[in-house]
């Protein structure tokens, strides 16, 4: 094709972002609100109580979906993966979530049982990061976890094989409709692969944004004796 011919897909993909996109991107503001202060000296000796406080304050500030988080895992080759899902609890054991053991993240956790979590609450200019080993809960806990949730959650758990290829949207809709019917008719039905997991924290970092970029980063780091060390990090 001559130089004046139509552009190929490869050359189109190589083009830089359009100026319109860059202008739009750079026009976005961060924390265009009054941010709260955070005195790390007042933080509790363990991270979970502070997480509970920050979560409640995010809810009070009107943060949309404050219970959603990013979950990062690694596959068998050590390549990273990440997705967004819901927090199911945060207690003395750690941060809880659930998925199918046969899903992509379930397979990854079976091979490399470590994960990182990320929460972002822009209504308060805050982030929380959690890293540590992941353990599976008992089948009874996993069953109770699923059936404490909505009919829609049970229907979703019964729909298809998570992370596997589906042939079409029509096939997805048929399977979802059948799963909803079953979830309504049999609310105690089992979803055998549904599994609750706990990230047992080795490190938890609390980040408070500051309009002058004097961000406060407080990291809790679990020591060999089980106690927590607290340390400030440069932003």
């Amino acid at each position: 094709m001559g130089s004046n011919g139509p552009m190929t897909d490869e050359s189109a993909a190589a083009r830089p972002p359009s100026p319109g996109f860059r202008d739009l991107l750079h026009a976005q503001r961060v924390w265009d609100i009054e941010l709260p202060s955070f005195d790390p000296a007042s933080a509790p000796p363990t991270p979970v109580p502070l997480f509970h406080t920050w979560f409640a304050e995010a809810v009070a500030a009107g943060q949309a979906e404050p219970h959603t988080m990013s979950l990062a895992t690694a596959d068998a080759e050590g390549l990273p993966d990440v997705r967004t899902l819901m927090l199911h609890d945060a207690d003395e054991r750690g941060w809880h979530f659930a998925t199918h053991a046969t899903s992509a993240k379930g397979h990854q956790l079976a091979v490399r049982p470590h994960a990182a979590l990320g929460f972002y609450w822009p209504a308060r200019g805050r982030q929380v990061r959690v890293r540590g080993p992941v353990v599976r809960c008992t089948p009874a806990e996993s069953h109770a976890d699923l059936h404490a949730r909505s009919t829609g959650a049970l229907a979703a758990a019964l729909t298809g094989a998570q992370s596997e290829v589906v042939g079409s949207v029509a096939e997805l809709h048929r399977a979802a409709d059948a799963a909803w019917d079953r979830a309504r008719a049999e609310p105690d039905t089992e979803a055998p692969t549904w599994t609750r997991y706990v990230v047992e924290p080795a490190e938890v970092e609390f980040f408070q944004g500051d309009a002058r970029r004097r961000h406060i980063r407080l990291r809790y780091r679990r020591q060999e004796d089980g106690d927590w060390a607290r340390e400030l990090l440069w932003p």
Side-chain angles (χ1 to χ4, degrees), residues 117-198:
L117 305 175
F119 296 85
Y120 179 45
W121 299 319
R124 301 287 285 176
R126 287 173 172 172
Q127 300 178 53
V128 181
R129 300 168 59 217
V130 183
R131 299 175 68 201
V134 179
V135 298
R136 292 177 61 156
C137 293
T138 66
E141 288 177 296
S142 297
H143 177 85
D145 174 89
L146 180 58
H147 291 88
R149 302 175 68 208
S150 65
T151 300
L154 176 58
L158 296 171
T159 301
Q162 190 177 33
S163 302
E164 293 188 8
V165 175
V166 62
S168 67
V169 172
E171 181 181 351
L172 169 62
H173 286 180
R174 287 193 298 271
D177 290 345
W180 269 95
D181 291 342
R182 186 180 178 193
R184 293 190 186 101
E186 305 173 37
D188 292 325
T189 192
E190 296 280 354
T193 61
W194 186 258
T195 305
R196 183 166 174 140
Y197 295 87
V198 183

Side-chain angles (χ1 to χ4, degrees), residues 37-44 50 216-218 220 230-232:
S37 60
F38 171 51
D39 180 5
S42 67
L50 183 56
I216 300 297
R217 294 176 62 189
L218 175 64
Y220 289 79
R230 289 180 295 173
E231 47 203 8
L232 287 175

Side-chain angles (χ1 to χ4, degrees), residues 40-86:
S42 67
T46 60
V48 171
L50 183 56
F51 181 83
H52 287 171
T53 297
W54 277 26
F55 183 87
E57 291 176 354
V59 172
Q63 177 62 56
E65 300 182 355
H67 58 321
T68 58
M69 61 187 183
S70 298
L71 167 68
T73 55
D75 64 18
E77 288 73 42
L79 299 175
D81 203 352
V82 67
R83 72 288 289 166
T84 301
L85 69 170
M86 288 194 298

